[in-house]
Amino acid sequence: VTIALTDIDHVGIAVEDLDAAVEEYRRLLGVEPVHRERVEDQGVEEVLFAVGSSYIQLLGALGPDTPVGRALASRGPGVHHVAYRVDDVASALDHLRAQGARLVDEAPRPGSRNTLIAFVHPKTMGGVLVELVEER
Ligand code: CO
């Protein structure tokens, strides 16, 4: 059972106002959105900007009682999670479980862009919420 990170898939950034944040990223960083998607089961709407082979992911909450809504209420806007790309999320989870890591997701689940994802608890990762992403 192994884990092999192949890239930084994205950095997830919680924002209060998604449309306003998209305009700020356009104006300040000269980037254009390449993808926008509502992910109901995660309670978010996301916008992706491509940077090299990675993305910046802006996250707007679909309501206060969602993970991003709660993060905005407790910590305000800012970096929410770091996502690493892997070839096989299930195998990466098996590896982490064997290493005693605390997992948010015990099994891979569907993410945006038809990916498979799983979250690792920040308690295990030095205070950083980590996501694993497998492209299909
Ligand atoms: Co993410």
Side-chain angles (χ1 to χ4, degrees):
V1 177
T2 57
I3 184 165
L5 310 184
T6 60
D7 216 331
I8 291 179
D9 188 82
H10 61 270
V11 176
I13 298 169
V15 302
E16 298 277 8
D17 180 330
L18 190 56
D19 289 322
V22 167
E23 283 314 309
E24 285 290 87
Y25 272 69
R26 268 198 172 114
R27 186 170 67 82
L28 296 172
L29 298 179
V31 288
E32 288 297 326
V34 294
H35 185 78
R36 183 168 186 141
E37 183 171 342
R38 264 173 90 95
V39 187
E40 297 286 346
D41 75 314
Q42 291 178 45
V44 296
E45 180 156 7
E46 70 169 44
V47 169
L48 296 178
F49 301 96
V51 180
S53 56
S54 306
Y55 299 99
I56 301 168
Q57 178 189 63
L58 300 184
L59 295 165
L62 294 182
D65 193 24
T66 60
V68 171
R70 286 188 290 271
L72 286 168
S74 64
R75 302 194 300 272
V79 172
H80 182 260
H81 64 274
V82 175
Y84 297 109
R85 201 171 294 151
V86 297
D87 289 334
D88 184 340
V89 171
S91 153
L93 285 178
D94 286 344
H95 165 84
L96 286 163
R97 198 177 289 113
Q99 293 298 314
R102 186 165 156 191
L103 304 176
V104 174
D105 296 304
E106 291 296 331
R109 60 189 168 101
S112 67
R113 293 179 293 129
N114 193 38
T115 56
L116 274 180
I117 64 158
F119 282 94
V120 185
H121 200 280
K123 282 236 157 62
T124 291
M125 298 298 308
V128 179
L129 177 61
V130 166
E131 179 182 7
L132 304 168
V133 179
E134 174 184 335
E135 294 187 322
R136 295 192 276 184

